[in-house]
Amino acid sequence: MSGSRPLTHEEEKRLVRRMRNAPPRDRVLVTAQLFLGFRISEVIALTVGHVFKDGRVRDRVSLAPRFLKGRYGGTRSVPVSAELRRSIEAYLHRRKKEESLAPGAPLFPSRHHGINGAAKGICRSSAEKIVKAHLLAVAQTDRDALSTHSLRKSYGVRIFRETGNDLLCARDALGHSSVAVTQVYLPTNRARIDAATLKSDWTRMRRNEPDCPTARVITRAEIPIARKQLHLTSSNMRAPSLQPMLPGFDAFAR
């Protein structure tokens, strides 16, 4: 979503701490988008079978193209992080006490049911309201630029940094077809740009002045004495051997 911004690292930490005390369904809804990088429409399309099999949380969450935006491309598969695993385990443990966990059941069921009483997942607008409320609670600045897509952008920024600023890895992690789209997800650091601008001003650099000993200007009366002692002609008045005896002689001769 254009116009939305990623969370700062501090906001991410505050969000995770907040979600640990939130209702189990809300915790999984927010944590899944933050650590899987899925769009909100893809997150609410998840079923129990996508994340749970044989009595345990899966190691990876995989979505077939029919669940993805555009319904094309290959299956997106993302490993389940420790934080997401804990949130899913707590959520499904609670649900097992109330119902049987059918693989095809929606991971985020709605209070309303579909045709013939079948379970129905929450709608996008409901999910967006839940996520937005938690984001606003931890926002430090620019609250109007926060949306569900902020979590996806935050995921993209983390992948970009953890891979050594590899744009191709970030593109593949987000499932983009072009790096041009991925670049929009990666905001520039204004402070770093300002610092680089000031550092690049070479006119402010201190010039390295050559080290030179303090010179003493000799008098005219000392010149004949120096010539006589060293048996020098006028063409050899700049000889290095003269300098230790009469510092500043060379400066005067020039």
Side-chain angles (χ1 to χ4, degrees), residues 36-110:
L36 294 178
F38 290 167
R39 299 173 179 86
I40 189 63
S41 59
E42 297 164 349
V43 171
I44 61 177
L46 291 173
T47 64
V48 172
H50 280 123
V51 301
F52 194 74
K53 183 180 180 181
D54 298 331
R56 61 184 297 272
V57 176
R58 290 178 180 268
D59 294 329
R60 305 182 70 88
V61 175
S62 301
L63 276 181
R66 68 177 183 274
F67 295 105
L68 304 178
K69 181 180 179 180
R71 301 177 182 273
Y72 66 89
T75 298
R76 284 194 61 200
S77 181
V78 184
V80 176
S81 66
E83 182 65 27
L84 178 56
R85 180 181 298 276
R86 288 191 293 267
S87 66
I88 294 175
E89 288 174 344
Y91 174 51
L92 294 183
H93 177 73
R94 181 172 179 176
R95 279 187 60 178
K96 281 194 298 185
K97 296 180 179 180
E98 303 173 354
E99 60 178 295
S100 59
L101 297 178
L107 185 60
F108 306 104
S110 171

Side-chain angles (χ1 to χ4, degrees), residues 200-221:
S200 66
D201 183 5
W202 56 269
T203 64
R204 302 292 298 173
M205 297 176 63
R206 186 175 180 179
R207 297 176 181 175
N208 295 324
E209 298 182 357
D211 296 333
C212 58
T214 303
R216 181 177 69 84
V217 179
I218 64 175
T219 63
R220 290 183 179 275

Side-chain angles (χ1 to χ4, degrees), residues 92 102 150 152 186 204 211 224 233 235 240:
L92 294 183
S150 296
R152 177 169 161 81
L186 308 174
R204 302 292 298 173
D211 296 333
T233 62
S235 62

